[in-house]
């Protein structure tokens, strides 16, 4: 079967690496991809929201499965676009319908969904321009810190944790009144702050059954010690030691099963990945957010630990037979370190020549923001390269990732030096 993978990050590079290993995968295409994905398949220069050109490519390359790595086409309704088109409707789409993608595409939708299905999450209120004044009043009496979230997609930048009422009011006003995130902040969710440790849990569901993939923890802040602004993620580890059997049982019973049943009972078509962004508050799991795709950089540790054939899992998903699949994990730990561009997550320059690839030993090298320029590979994004390593323990894995992080060179290279710190003593 020919597969078209959509996206261009480290996640897609790790997915391309994994898909390429499957004997069920014939030709692999990646749109738009990066300098790393072209080692595993053919990059197609198509934007994620250009459904018409994606359609053409699917027909031309006889695609059997469309695999959206990124949320952008899913929230934009690519599933429905395919299923409503006579020429495309038989192509397997590994991702939810537009309605299902609302779990990620609208914070207000996902909060209401959790309330309806009694899924543990932070208490919240929704506001828009019609109850703006009421919202300003509400903030005055809200305990600190206050979590303010733009309703729609904002590339991971739409969440602010305000430490003072003044800051909260100013963020609230700039989102609702000044359209800070455009359409995405026409509605805002104001949420109780939950204090705990975060964890990313992934399932693949066929709408009825599901399989649980290895869990991971990512590190979102730019600087060591979890300081500075949020990024897409600076590194990840798997497994996560506190996610023991008892904790995961709670996650299963109170979060995963009610979510899948809830989608089914509401007739929301969902065959694809669900990413549960969780927080453990004194050992009790709460949902911080849902995503309708895999995480980045979590995928860079999850795929290396997943031993199953990913294409076989997608086929089981399509047949509605995921109950027949058994997930096999690599027992080893995995860590990934993300090398980024100076200035990220703010402004940064692109086009810096990257060297040292040949010096990397014992790590998987997943490209994120890279591009080919003549004979060189150059930086082409904020997050540049993820270095994933295995180890008997997380500490062993991290030592290897860090050794190799030092080998890659480009002007302005930056990375966190403390990934996995809380688990390695
Ligand atoms: P989100 O985009 O919803 O995942 O939020 C981004 C980050 O903000 C999360 O990974 C958390 O670190 C933080 N965050 C979001 N909601 C809360 C909350 N209710 N309490 C504490 N931290 C939160
Ligand atoms: N690493 C978090 C995300 O993919 O949203």
């Amino acid at each position: 079967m020919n597969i078209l993978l959509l996206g261009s990050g480290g996640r897609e590079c790790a997915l391309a690496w994994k898909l390429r290993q499957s004997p069920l995968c014939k030709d692999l295409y990646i749109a738009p991809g990066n300098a790393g994905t072209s080692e595993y398949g053919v990059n197609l220069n198509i934007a994620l929201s250009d459904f018409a050109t994606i359609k053409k490519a699917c027909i031309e390359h006889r695609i059997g499965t469309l695999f959206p790595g990124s949320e952008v086409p899913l929230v934009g309704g690519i599933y429905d676009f395919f299923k409503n088109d006579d020429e495309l409707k038989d192509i397997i789409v590994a991702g939810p319908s537009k309605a299902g993608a609302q779990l990620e595409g609208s914070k207000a939708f996902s909060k209401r969904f959790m309330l309806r299905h009694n899924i543990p999450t932070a208490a919240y209120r929704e506001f828009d321009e019609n109850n703006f004044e009421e919202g300003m009043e509400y903030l005055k009496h809200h305990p600190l810190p206050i979590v303010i979230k733009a309703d729609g997609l904002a590339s991971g930048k739409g969440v602010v944790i305000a430490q003072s009422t003044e800051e909260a009011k100013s963020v609230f006003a700039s989102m609702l009144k000044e359209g800070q995130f455009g359409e995405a902040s026409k509605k805002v969710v104001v949420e109780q702050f939950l204090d705990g440790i975060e964890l990313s849990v992934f399932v693949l569901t066929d709408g009825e059954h599901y399989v649980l993939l290895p869990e991971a923890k990512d590190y979102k802040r730019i600087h060591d010690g979890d300081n500075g602004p949020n990024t897409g993620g600076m590194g990840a580890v798997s497994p996560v030691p506190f996610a023991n059997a008892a904790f995961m049982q709670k996650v299963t019973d109170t979060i995963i099963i009610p979510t899948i049943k809830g989608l089914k009972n509401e007739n929301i078509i969902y065959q694809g990945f669900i990413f549960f962004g969780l927080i453990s508050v004194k050992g009790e799991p709460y949902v911080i957010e849902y995503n309708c795709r895999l995480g980045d950089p979590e995928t860079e540790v999850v795929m290396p630990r997943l031993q199953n054939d990913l294409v076989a899992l997608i086929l089981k998903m399509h047949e509605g037979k995921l109950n027949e699949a058994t997930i096999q994990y690599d027992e080893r730990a995995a860590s990934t370190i993300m090398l980024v561009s100076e200035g990220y997550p703010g402004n940064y320059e692109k086009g810096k020549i990257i060297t040292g690839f040949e010096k990397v030993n014992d790590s998987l090298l997943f490209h994120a923001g890279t591009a080919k320029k003549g004979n060189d590979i150059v930086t082409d994004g904020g997050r540049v390269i993820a270095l994933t390593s295995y180890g008997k323990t997380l500490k062993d894995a991290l030592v290897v990732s860090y050794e190799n992080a030092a080998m890659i060179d480009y002007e302005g290279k930056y990375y966190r030096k403390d990934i996995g710190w809380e688990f390695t003593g």
Side-chain angles (χ1 to χ4, degrees):
M1 178 170 63
N2 296 346
I3 300 178
L4 174 59
L5 172 64
L6 300 180
S8 60
R11 171 182 50 211
E12 285 72 30
C13 194
L15 286 170
W17 168 82
K18 182 72 180 165
L19 291 167
R20 188 62 282 163
Q21 292 169 43
S22 168
L24 299 167
C25 176
K26 200 167 151 267
D27 296 339
L28 177 63
Y29 297 88
I30 308 98
N34 58 39
T37 59
S38 60
E39 287 178 33
Y40 310 111
V42 177
N43 286 350
L44 302 175
N45 189 15
I46 309 175
L48 296 179
S49 47
D50 184 356
F51 292 1
T53 310
I54 291 172
K55 171 178 173 171
K56 262 202 210 147
C58 284
I59 293 168
E60 182 185 341
H61 301 297
R62 300 172 190 278
I63 297 300
T65 291
L66 179 77
F67 193 133
S70 150
E71 67 280 11
V72 170
L74 289 167
V75 173
I78 198 150
Y79 176 93
D80 308 66
F81 177 84
F82 269 57
K83 296 302 153 185
N84 290 323
D85 186 307
D86 278 344
E87 291 176 283
L88 302 177
K89 65 180 190 319
D90 294 331
I91 295 177
I92 299 171
V93 179
S97 63
K98 187 170 188 177
Q102 286 292 95
L103 280 186
E104 174 164 4
S106 165
K107 304 266 187 212
F109 174 90
S110 75
K111 295 298 278 189
R112 285 189 227 137
F113 178 88
M114 287 186 262
L115 273 192
R116 284 198 293 281
H117 300 289
N118 216 3
I119 295 166
T121 189
Y124 82 108
R125 285 276 311 267
E126 265 174 55
F127 297 97
D128 59 23
E129 61 177 346
N130 297 317
N131 59 356
F132 176 80
E133 290 306 330
E134 194 187 332
M136 291 294 265
E137 195 57 33
Y138 179 74
L139 292 175
K140 274 196 211 159
H141 307 289
H142 197 291
L144 294 171
I146 310 176
V147 183
I148 303 179
K149 300 184 172 183
D151 179 56
L153 294 185
S155 315
K157 300 197 177 97
V159 175
V160 176
I161 299 175
Q163 301 297 337
S164 71
T165 307
E166 278 320 299
E167 185 191 353
K169 285 162 85 176
S170 135
V171 168
F172 185 76
S174 67
M175 285 196 192
L176 281 178
K177 285 281 184 210
E178 288 152 36
Q180 189 188 2
F181 299 107
E183 278 295 312
S185 66
K186 283 207 150 150
K187 202 185 280 176
V188 159
V189 163
V190 176
E191 201 172 274
Q192 165 201 18
F193 177 80
L194 296 176
D195 196 5
I197 325 177
E198 287 180 56
L199 164 74
S200 306
V201 167
F202 305 93
V203 303
L204 175 66
T205 181
D206 59 22
E208 172 103 37
H209 322 98
Y210 71 93
V211 287
L212 182 67
L213 304 179
E215 79 284 356
K217 181 177 193 302
D218 84 337
Y219 293 77
K220 288 207 171 71
R221 302 296 187 109
I222 183 78
H223 297 307
D224 286 13
D226 284 334
N227 288 307
N230 261 325
T231 69
M234 297 294 290
V237 298
S238 176
V240 182
F242 73 84
N244 55 27
F247 181 81
M248 289 309 289
Q249 193 61 50
K250 286 186 201 171
V251 172
T252 300
D253 295 341
T254 66
I255 295 171
I256 299 175
I257 291 175
T259 299
I260 292 170
K261 275 199 177 141
L263 289 166
K264 184 173 176 225
N265 291 341
E266 295 189 21
N267 296 316
I268 296 175
I269 297 174
Y270 205 117
Q271 287 201 323
F273 296 97
I274 311 178
F275 168 160
F276 301 87
L278 305 182
I279 189 161
S280 165
V281 181
K282 300 193 179 87
E284 297 302 319
Y286 289 78
V287 177
I288 293 251
E289 65 164 351
Y290 286 112
N291 294 310
C292 59
R293 36 91 192 164
L294 292 168
D296 192 356
E298 289 95 328
T299 303
E300 289 91 305
V301 290
V302 170
M303 285 302 134
R305 289 197 66 222
L306 177 71
Q307 289 180 323
N308 299 65
D309 179 328
L310 183 57
V311 182
L313 287 176
I314 300 289
L315 290 174
K316 286 279 179 214
M317 171 205 83
H318 177 63
E319 293 164 8
K321 289 186 182 163
L322 276 175
N323 52 318
E324 294 176 359
T326 310
I327 293 297
Q328 264 130 13
Y329 294 51
D330 193 315
E331 290 298 324
R332 289 174 295 174
S335 67
T336 198
I337 306 297
M338 190 60 87
L339 309 182
V340 306
S341 298
E342 183 177 5
Y344 174 77
N347 295 334
Y348 53 83
E349 292 177 9
K350 294 182 182 177
K352 310 290 180 193
I353 294 174
I354 310 171
T355 57
F357 292 108
E358 71 291 348
K359 294 189 209 150
V360 170
N361 232 326
D362 288 338
S363 283
L364 296 162
L365 200 150
F366 296 127
H367 289 233
T370 67
K372 284 191 175 150
K373 194 173 170 193
N375 288 330
D376 293 323
I377 293 182
V378 297
T379 64
D380 195 42
R383 293 191 290 173
V384 177
I385 280 171
L387 289 157
T388 297
S389 316
Y390 295 104
K392 200 158 176 260
T393 63
L394 279 177
K395 196 170 184 168
D396 296 338
L398 283 157
V399 166
V400 181
S401 285
Y402 276 119
E403 275 171 12
N404 286 313
M407 298 299 158
I408 297 283
D409 229 352
Y410 55 87
E411 191 188 320
K413 175 179 81 168
Y414 179 78
Y415 56 101
R416 268 181 70 161
K417 309 291 187 302
D418 68 341
I419 300 303
W421 60 272
E422 70 274 60
F423 306 127
T424 51

